[in-house]
């Protein structure tokens, strides 16, 4: 066919095949071609024609646009990240060389990616050595790994939540919905709740809510109760697909999935994804539209990973004034050390000096990757004069390639932005000229200070 355009996208086809759990032989049978032809496609020795793309989309029920759009871009970006590491900076490999290498030798390039990934994991392990819990696996880490591995997206939970949201809407809201089931919702004084925000008493058919909860908090607790009543089996079956080393790890993950589903009821995927795009990811505007809190919206924005309807991939982190991380969700590939403090040059740590003020910052990691972050403090607790509250700071980050979609970058010439150079954590950052450094990096020797004292906290040799 004269108009049967073709493109090289071997790494993407290979990744798709593996995600589907297929061998080259099975995929060849499905597409009515030879296994050797599939092998040639995957090694970029044969292009993928438009007719082949259509057949892939039809047989495997995938979005042809997401498959063909920027074919190989993600793969090439991963190869570039490996070569841009400070460890290889002196080689001065040009972007053109890297892209040629990735497209000409995709299998070898994937080997480089795997080795670089293993190297990164080893670096993280070295940084974590002094902080590891000698008593065994950490439940919080188990839960975070579970969510990160799935990009914090659970299609079945979203679909069921959307059905429940429609039922609640038809009933006229949460309280009429429960009333229809002969369950009464009561808002009671804080002292009666004895330390709980929500309490369900099945024998009395009552849901008790702490009256100090604001509207967004009360709605979330009611949505959470709907989840535990209507989606417990679905959450259990979702968890059954994985094994957990600790009972607490499974409990924390179950709680995370329940919270995910509650957010999906209040902010159903299709409506929320559409609104997020229309409002250019304006967190405060979305909070008003869906009658939720700033943090709830920020949390929900990390879950927009539905195939063919993806939103901007975001990374979310919440810390207290001491720098302790109480929540972390990764949909943007933002590298964050499991232990140890994050970079003090990140505006996240300045948020407490500017409570409730929305702050933005462009940052650049040592490997050259750039991110855009939106930061603000949020308050939990309180609700009355005598009730204690705590201030936390949250950051919502996306890769710089998506930043133009955000309302916060409107009117900014992104190509001329000078980002703040930050590191993941001092032990993994090899920026020798950083005045904010708290520790020397792994693998770098210190210079003697007998005759001179550098302006930075540590003088570092050039040796790795």
């Amino acid at each position: 066919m004269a108009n049967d355009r073709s493109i090289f996208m071997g790494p993407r086809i290979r990744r798709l095949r593996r995600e589907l759990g297929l061998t080259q032989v099975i995929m060849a049978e499905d597409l009515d071609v030879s296994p050797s032809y599939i092998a040639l496609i995957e090694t970029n020795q044969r292009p993928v024609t438009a007719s082949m793309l259509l057949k892939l989309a039809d047989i495997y029920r995938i979005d042809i646009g997401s498959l063909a759009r920027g074919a190989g871009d993600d793969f090439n970006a991963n190869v570039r990240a490996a070569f841009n590491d400070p460890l290889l900076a002196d080689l001065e490999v040009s972007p053109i060389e890297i892209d040629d290498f990735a497209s000409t030798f995709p299998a070898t390039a994937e080997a480089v990616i795997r080795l670089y990934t293993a190297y990164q994991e080893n670096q993280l392990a070295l940084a974590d050595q002094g902080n590891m819990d000698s008593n065994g696996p950490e439940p919080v880490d188990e839960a975070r790994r579970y969510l990160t591995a799935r990009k914090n997206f659970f299609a079945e939970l979203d679909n069921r939540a959307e059905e429940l949201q429609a039922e609640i809407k038809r009933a006229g809201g949460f309280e009429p919905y429960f009333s229809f089931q002969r369950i009464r919702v009561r808002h009671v004084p804080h002292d009666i709740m004895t330390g709980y925000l929500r309490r369900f008493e099945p024998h009395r058919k009552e849901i008790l809510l702490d009256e100090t909860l604001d509207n967004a908090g009360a709605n979330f607790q009611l949505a959470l109760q709907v989840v535990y009543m209507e989606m417990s089996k679905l959450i259990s079956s979702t968890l059954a697909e994985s094994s957990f080393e600790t009972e607490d790890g499974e409990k924390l993950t179950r709680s995370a999935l329940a919270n995910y589903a509650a957010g999906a009821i209040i902010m159903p995927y299709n409506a929320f994804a559409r609104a997020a795009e229309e409002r250019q990811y304006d967190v405060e505007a979305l909070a008003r539209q869906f009658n939720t809190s700033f943090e709830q919206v920020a949390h929900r924005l990390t879950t927009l990973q539905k195939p063919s309807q993806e939103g901007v991939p975001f990374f979310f982190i919440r810390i207290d004034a001491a720098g302790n991380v109480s929540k972390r969700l990764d949909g943007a590939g933002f590298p964050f050390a499991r232990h140890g403090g994050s970079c003090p040059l990140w505006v996240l740590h300045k948020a407490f000096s500017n409570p409730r003020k929305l702050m933005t910052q462009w940052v650049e990691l040592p490997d050259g990757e750039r991110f855009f972050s939106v930061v603000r403090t949020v308050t939990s607790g309180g609700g009355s004069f005598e009730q204690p509250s705590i201030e936390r700071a949250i950051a919502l980050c996306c890769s710089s390639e998506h930043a133009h979609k955000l309302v916060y970058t409107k009117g900014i010439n992104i190509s001329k932005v000078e980002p703040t150079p930050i590191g993941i954590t001092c032990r993994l950052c090899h920026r020798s000229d950083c005045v904010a450094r708290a520790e020397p990096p792994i693998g770098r020797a210190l210079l003697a200070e007998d005759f001179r004292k550098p302006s930075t906290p540590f003088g570092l040799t050039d040796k790795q």
Side-chain angles (χ1 to χ4, degrees), residues 136-402:
E138 271 290 332
V140 171
D141 289 335
E142 276 198 284
R144 286 175 178 165
R145 284 196 298 271
Y146 180 91
L147 297 175
T148 300
R150 291 154 183 81
K151 295 185 177 179
N152 197 33
F153 171 68
F154 302 90
E156 291 186 348
L157 298 186
D158 270 304
N159 293 338
R160 179 57 180 143
E162 197 137 4
E163 294 172 355
L164 288 168
Q165 192 270 344
E167 293 179 27
I168 293 165
K169 187 175 181 179
R170 284 194 297 269
F174 283 107
E175 296 197 20
Y177 170 83
F178 283 114
S179 179
F180 183 75
Q181 300 184 51
R182 301 183 183 280
I183 296 174
R184 181 185 177 194
V185 176
R186 292 177 56 204
H187 299 259
V188 301
H190 178 79
D191 55 347
I192 293 178
M193 291 300 293
T194 62
Y196 294 96
L197 297 176
R198 167 183 51 84
R199 208 165 70 218
F200 177 45
E201 299 182 349
H203 59 289
R204 299 178 63 178
K205 289 204 171 283
E206 283 187 340
I207 298 172
L208 305 182
L209 295 177
D210 189 326
E211 66 179 11
T212 63
L213 286 170
D214 59 17
N215 195 41
N219 281 340
F220 187 83
Q221 290 302 320
L222 290 175
L224 202 51
Q225 190 60 58
V226 173
V227 169
Y228 284 120
M229 292 171 62
E230 304 291 344
M231 296 178 65
S232 283
K233 288 184 179 179
L234 179 56
I235 290 175
S236 294
S237 65
T238 302
L239 289 171
E241 297 172 359
S242 300
S243 58
F244 292 86
E245 294 185 64
T246 67
E247 185 178 346
D248 284 347
E250 183 171 2
K251 287 179 180 177
L252 285 173
T253 308
R254 175 180 291 276
S255 177
L257 293 184
N259 279 272
Y260 177 103
I265 289 175
I266 295 172
M267 295 166 278
Y269 194 103
N270 292 320
F272 184 78
R274 187 166 53 250
E277 188 173 346
E278 289 172 353
R279 294 186 176 275
Q280 296 179 281
Y281 300 89
D282 187 328
V283 181
E284 291 168 309
L286 289 168
R288 287 186 175 88
Q289 180 174 340
F290 289 89
N291 194 23
T292 55
S293 70
F294 186 93
E295 182 175 345
Q296 288 169 359
V297 169
H299 188 293
R300 183 60 167 151
L301 285 173
T302 68
T303 70
L304 301 184
Q305 303 293 324
K306 186 176 184 179
S308 77
Q309 200 180 351
E310 298 97 335
V312 169
F314 284 105
F315 170 84
F316 172 100
I317 186 170
R318 185 181 70 188
I319 65 170
D320 61 22
N324 299 307
V325 177
S326 54
K327 187 183 291 185
R328 189 170 75 236
L329 301 165
D330 190 5
F334 188 91
F336 195 89
R338 284 177 56 240
H339 299 285
S342 61
C343 183
L345 300 178
W346 195 8
V347 74
L348 174 65
H349 300 287
K350 300 177 183 177
F352 295 101
S353 302
N354 301 272
R356 313 292 287 185
K357 178 183 177 182
L358 193 143
M359 307 167 71
T360 63
Q361 184 185 34
W362 297 83
V363 298
E364 182 177 82
L365 296 173
D367 64 2
E369 192 169 9
R370 295 182 177 187
F371 289 85
F372 178 76
S373 56
V374 179
V375 172
R376 207 197 80 170
T377 60
V378 294
T379 305
S380 61
S384 65
F385 178 71
E386 295 181 339
Q387 297 309 315
S389 63
I390 183 170
E391 199 87 4
R392 297 186 177 96
I394 62 174
L396 196 63
C397 309
C398 72
S399 175
S400 60
E401 66 184 284
H402 299 288

Side-chain angles (χ1 to χ4, degrees), residues 47-91:
V48 177
T49 62
S51 57
M52 178 66 77
L53 275 176
L54 290 171
K55 191 179 288 188
L56 281 164
D58 179 56
I59 292 175
Y60 299 121
R61 295 291 187 268
I62 56 177
D63 176 56
I64 191 171
S66 64
L67 185 64
R69 187 167 49 246
D73 284 355
D74 291 343
F75 181 77
N76 286 7
N78 288 334
V79 178
R80 283 194 295 270
F83 281 96
N84 286 336
D85 190 276
L87 187 66
L88 306 176
D90 62 319
L91 297 178

Side-chain angles (χ1 to χ4, degrees), residues 124-125 127-133 138 141 144 325 328 336-342 424-428 439:
L124 287 170
D128 290 344
Q129 259 182 359
N131 302 291
M132 295 290 278
D133 184 354
E138 271 290 332
D141 289 335
R144 286 175 178 165
V325 177
R328 189 170 75 236
F336 195 89
R338 284 177 56 240
H339 299 285
S342 61
I424 301 170
T425 184
C426 288
R427 295 288 280 158
L428 301 179
E439 296 179 285

Side-chain angles (χ1 to χ4, degrees), residues 4-22:
D4 195 8
R5 298 174 59 202
S6 52
I7 52 178
F8 290 91
M9 48 190 303
R12 184 162 296 198
I13 296 299
R14 182 169 59 253
R15 195 175 302 116
L16 170 66
R17 177 175 62 78
R18 290 174 176 174
E19 288 174 353
L20 294 171
L22 305 175

